[in-house]
Amino acid sequence: MEFYDVIRSRRSIRSFRPDPVPDEAIARIAEAVNAAPTACNLQPFVFKFIRNAELRAAVAGCCRSSFPAEAPLLLAVVCDPEKAWKRGDGFNSVEVDVGIAMEHAVLAAAAEGLGSCWICAFDAARAAQVLKVAAPARVAALCPLGYPAAPPRPFVRKEQAQVVEVLD
Ligand SMILES: Cc1cc2nc3c(=O)[nH]c(=O)nc-3n(C[C@H](O)[C@H](O)[C@H](O)COP(=O)(O)O)c2cc1C
């Protein structure tokens, strides 16, 4: 798919068919994650592609919504702020690093014809317990992946001029 078509086709999908995600698609999404830029190239995260049905159900059970449980594949991002770049004024790059890598994942998923949806509305303490993640590491985000069973919500955005300025 052409790059801008991928950008246009990526929407949050909240209903999934049970068909499994092919291994080759997972491999290409994983490659996209590993290609993401991070501050000082530290890559302070692990993207866990959860295929195991029992573990998937347990992690999906940490979400506020029920739709992540429908997906045949669940991505859980574990990050460690201690392993991220820190600026002298206290800024820690971990959230930015995770955000960029997750966007690589969801765009790669879109290129594969897969639906995805960033999930931050989940019980992070419970997810850490389920995934055996100990502090300072934490579960930063979840993302169900699978073939869409229903179209996305209508596309709504601010006027472009409200979020983009060109300064000559
Ligand atoms: C950081 C982040 C967290 C999000 N968390 C959730 C969530 O917990 N549940 C959900 O249904 N959608 C979640 N979303 C999806 C947004 O609602 C969605 O991206 C936004 O409404 C724009 O729609 P679109 O992705 O279809 O273009 C999240 C998106 C981002 C970037």
Side-chain angles (χ1 to χ4, degrees):
M1 217 191 292
E2 201 265 328
F3 178 73
Y4 290 100
D5 290 333
V6 175
I7 296 274
R8 284 184 203 103
S9 72
R10 189 232 45 89
R11 297 295 317 287
S12 292
I13 294 297
R14 297 181 175 86
S15 182
F16 298 93
R17 300 197 330 239
D19 314 52
V21 176
D23 288 349
E24 313 80 63
I26 297 175
R28 286 188 288 266
I29 297 167
E31 184 186 351
V33 167
N34 200 34
T38 53
C40 264
N41 208 16
L42 288 172
Q43 300 183 278
F45 46 63
V46 178
F47 278 58
K48 294 174 185 285
F49 290 82
I50 307 172
R51 270 194 299 225
N52 177 277
E54 210 175 311
L55 186 57
R56 216 165 6 94
V59 177
C62 302
C63 298
R64 203 182 293 165
S65 308
S66 58
F67 69 85
E70 279 180 23
L73 185 63
L74 188 60
L75 190 50
V77 185
V78 175
C79 72
D80 186 343
E82 296 294 310
K83 295 183 176 156
W85 179 70
K86 292 161 214 76
R87 199 167 58 197
D89 63 4
F91 169 80
N92 185 307
S93 70
V94 73
E95 302 287 352
V96 177
D97 294 334
V98 164
I100 293 169
M102 182 68 117
E103 191 60 13
H104 272 220
V106 298
L107 288 175
E112 299 290 341
L114 292 162
S116 66
C117 186
W118 270 84
I119 302 286
C120 280
F122 65 94
D123 182 335
R126 195 169 143 201
Q129 215 168 25
V130 170
L131 289 165
K132 300 182 172 49
V133 171
R138 60 190 162 77
V139 183
L142 302 173
C143 180
L145 293 168
Y147 294 102
R153 293 173 184 168
F155 183 75
V156 178
R157 289 296 188 272
K158 293 179 181 175
E159 287 299 318
Q160 192 171 296
Q162 288 179 269
V163 295
V164 178
E165 293 179 357
V166 178
L167 309 176
D168 288 318

